[in-house]
């Protein structure tokens, strides 16, 4: 890892080095490592305070929330109460996954309005759509409808001072008459209002190349999910740096993709326990990729 002690000291040499190594240009600008809190979905609802303390101690400075609802709020905490715990641990919730109730399917805005208010209280930058239920993504017209709803939500977010993003899995890359659902979403959404959180694992798992997506859609992928594929079972996650994904060329292309935030996520297959695993991923990223 590059430190102040061993970094190039002269301006001219520094400029040359950055031009020669795009990954260094990235490291100079992006020093924060984020965690998608869904990684700790087993621990978080039991003890939010202790869990977030451990997240900060593992080296993370930003997080992405999940699980908000008008009924349960954030694991029984109001957005204001959660913000206090985050602040106490120097953590920033720059994004959150919000299911938005039935808005994507019938246009009911009640949960969307509540989600926007929660994200504002947390002082988030992005409100992110995490998932589309299977009955509502079966053909081209379904994806066009989802894109239209996402555009509508993005306008509401902008008025509230937020940005809207869409998070993918692998199902968006299924083809319908030669076009994928993801291509429809990219084409049918307003590029000045709707951004994308690219889950690198799911893109690669679907047989696609993130670098090609970056090249075809420069600047649209403002956030990433960074999780690795287990060497023995590619259907499972593993600690970043322990699997089969080569993240170095992806991080080298961060500027082209438009990425400003990224979040480690590990949904399963923890090496020892979830806290050891998130620290292992954070350490690898800080030492090998930044």
């Amino acid at each position: 890892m590059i430190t102040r002690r061993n970094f190039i000291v002269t301006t001219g040499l520094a400029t040359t080095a950055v031009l020669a190594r795009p990954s260094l240009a990235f490291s100079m600008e992006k020093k924060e490592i984020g965690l998608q809190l869904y990684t700790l979905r087993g621990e978080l609802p039991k003890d939010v305070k202790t869990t977030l303390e451990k997240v900060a101690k593992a080296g993370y400075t930003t997080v992405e929330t999940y699980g908000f609802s008008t009924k349960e709020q954030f694991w029984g905490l109001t957005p204001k109460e959660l913000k206090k715990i985050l602040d106490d641990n120097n953590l920033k919730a720059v994004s959150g996954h919000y299911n938005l109730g039935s808005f994507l399917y019938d246009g009911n805005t009640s949960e969307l309005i509540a989600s926007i208010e929660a994200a504002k209280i947390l002082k988030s930058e992005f409100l992110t759509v995490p998932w589309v239920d299977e009955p509502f993504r079966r053909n081209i017209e379904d994806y066009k409808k989802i894109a239209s709803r996402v555009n509508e939500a993005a306008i509401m977010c902008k008025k509230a001072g937020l940005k809207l993003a869409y998070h993918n899995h692998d199902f968006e890359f299924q083809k319908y008459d030669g076009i994928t659902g993801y291509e429809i979403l990219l084409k049918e959404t307003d590029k000045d209002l709707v951004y994308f959180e690219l889950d690198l694992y799911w893109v690669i798992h679907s047989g696609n190349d993130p670098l090609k997506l970056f090249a075809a859609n420069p600047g649209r992928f403002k956030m990433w999910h960074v999780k690795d594929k287990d060497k023995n079972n590619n259907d499972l996650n593993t600690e970043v740096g322990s699997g089969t994904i080569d993240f170095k060329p992806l991080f080298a292309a961060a500027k082209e993709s438009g990425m400003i935030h990224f979040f480690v996520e590990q949904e399963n297959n923890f090496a020892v326990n979830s806290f050891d695993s998130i620290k292992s991923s954070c350490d690898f990223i800080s030492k090998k990729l930044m």
Side-chain angles (χ1 to χ4, degrees):
M1 181 176 69
I2 297 173
T3 64
R4 288 182 182 273
R5 182 174 296 176
N6 62 21
F7 193 64
I8 301 167
V9 294
T10 64
T11 302
L13 287 176
T15 302
T16 302
V18 167
L19 292 173
R21 292 276 304 280
S23 59
L24 291 186
F26 170 81
S27 70
M28 291 293 288
E29 299 171 3
K30 315 295 181 189
K31 296 181 180 179
E32 296 187 313
I33 302 176
L35 179 71
Q36 165 50 254
L37 293 177
Y38 186 71
T39 303
L40 301 174
R41 63 196 177 277
E43 296 84 359
L44 203 53
K46 299 175 184 176
D47 189 341
V48 176
K49 183 176 181 292
T50 300
T51 299
L52 291 179
E53 287 173 355
K54 291 182 178 180
V55 169
K57 288 178 180 177
Y60 295 90
T61 55
T62 65
V63 298
E64 184 172 53
T65 64
Y66 79 96
F68 173 82
S69 71
T70 53
K71 181 180 179 180
E72 298 295 332
Q73 302 288 290
F74 289 105
W75 319 290
L77 298 176
T78 66
K80 186 176 181 180
E81 290 169 333
L82 176 60
K83 180 68 165 61
K84 174 65 165 58
I85 297 174
L86 290 168
D87 288 347
D88 288 344
N89 290 283
N90 296 312
L91 294 171
K92 295 177 292 183
V94 294
S95 175
H97 279 195
Y98 293 88
N99 289 319
L100 309 184
S102 60
F103 170 76
L104 292 178
Y105 318 129
D106 63 14
N108 186 322
T109 60
S110 58
E111 193 83 13
L112 171 58
I113 291 171
S115 297
I116 288 173
E117 184 60 29
K120 286 175 60 180
I121 292 171
L122 292 180
K123 298 189 181 302
S124 296
E125 183 178 354
F126 288 91
L127 184 152
T128 302
V129 178
W131 175 264
V132 178
D133 289 337
E134 193 277 333
F136 303 99
R137 49 173 167 86
R138 292 179 173 175
N139 52 55
I140 289 174
E141 291 306 313
D142 281 349
Y143 276 99
K144 287 186 175 182
K145 182 177 180 180
I146 293 300
S148 177
R149 297 279 193 219
V150 168
N151 281 329
E152 183 181 344
I155 293 172
M156 294 175 64
C157 285
K158 184 177 181 179
K159 290 179 179 179
L162 297 165
K163 300 183 182 73
L164 184 134
Y166 179 96
H167 167 268
N168 67 280
H169 290 79
D170 60 347
F171 57 76
E172 289 92 347
F173 295 94
Q174 180 179 342
K175 287 189 176 182
Y176 305 89
D177 297 329
I179 186 172
T180 68
Y182 205 67
E183 289 173 308
I184 295 170
L185 292 173
L186 285 164
K187 181 180 179 181
E188 298 285 332
T189 53
D190 186 336
K191 65 181 178 62
D192 294 322
L193 289 175
V194 177
Y195 305 99
F196 289 81
E197 178 177 64
L198 200 68
D199 191 306
L200 302 175
Y201 168 92
W202 284 118
V203 172
I204 293 168
H205 191 71
S206 70
N208 289 275
D209 184 351
L211 292 175
K212 291 182 179 179
L213 285 171
F214 298 164
N217 307 277
R220 292 205 75 180
F221 306 103
K222 299 299 184 186
M223 297 183 290
W224 296 352
H225 272 192
V226 179
K227 54 190 177 191
D228 216 335
K229 292 173 69 69
D230 185 80
K231 292 179 179 178
N232 298 316
N233 185 342
N234 280 338
D235 290 329
L236 296 178
N237 303 161
T238 190
E239 290 72 25
V240 177
S242 299
T244 62
I245 296 177
D246 182 2
F247 289 101
K248 288 184 179 180
L250 302 178
F251 273 77
K255 185 175 181 180
E256 179 184 24
S257 80
M259 189 265 276
I260 55 177
H261 302 297
F262 69 89
F263 308 96
V264 169
E265 185 181 34
Q266 189 170 339
E267 297 177 289
N268 51 48
N269 197 34
F270 298 104
V272 180
N273 63 51
S274 53
F275 293 114
D276 289 339
S277 287
I278 65 169
K279 187 176 189 311
S280 173
S281 292
C282 187
D283 288 347
F284 177 84
I285 292 170
S286 64
K287 294 174 182 178
K288 301 294 185 181
L289 299 177
M290 295 183 69

